[in-house]
Amino acid sequence: MGRNFLFKLPNEIDKLMLLAAEIRQLPEYLQLDGKSRYTLDLALEEMAGNIIRYGYDVPGERIIEIGIGFDASEVTLTLRDDGKPFNPMTADPPPTGDVEERDIGGVGVYLVRSMVRSMEYRREEGRNVLTLRIGRGE
């Protein structure tokens, strides 16, 4: 049986960076292999960052719930927010071609999708619920 953590993140990038630093100090995080740590860091920063940057039309403080579960075979990251509906599983892949000629953005979601074991999205009671499963030692 693993451990589960629940964090309440205000929709501010600075607060996201503080939360990421706090998570990196958890004993369960420190027991992860390097690839699992990197994938968790990237998934948290990309997905929560996108919610903060693009999820809300109306200014003001909102709370994003971040759940992290650690067990023997995987890490589960769940993000819940009351922003605009957005299913990252249906997002278009990033454009191909020269980097210099492309618009900025669109790569993070695709990269996270390619690195996690699974990604599930649902809209529940006016909230986005995104669950990512990260394999340990894969």
Side-chain angles (χ1 to χ4, degrees), residues 60-72:
E61 183 174 305
R62 298 287 182 60
I63 299 297
I64 303 161
E65 292 181 0
I66 309 283
I68 303 177
F70 295 90
D71 70 28

Side-chain angles (χ1 to χ4, degrees), residues 14 24 64 69 81 88-89 94 98 101 109-110 125 128 132:
D14 293 349
R24 289 183 191 114
I64 303 161
D81 69 90
M89 296 173 57
D98 292 334
E101 296 173 7
V109 169
Y110 179 77
E125 297 177 4
N128 296 303
L132 302 101

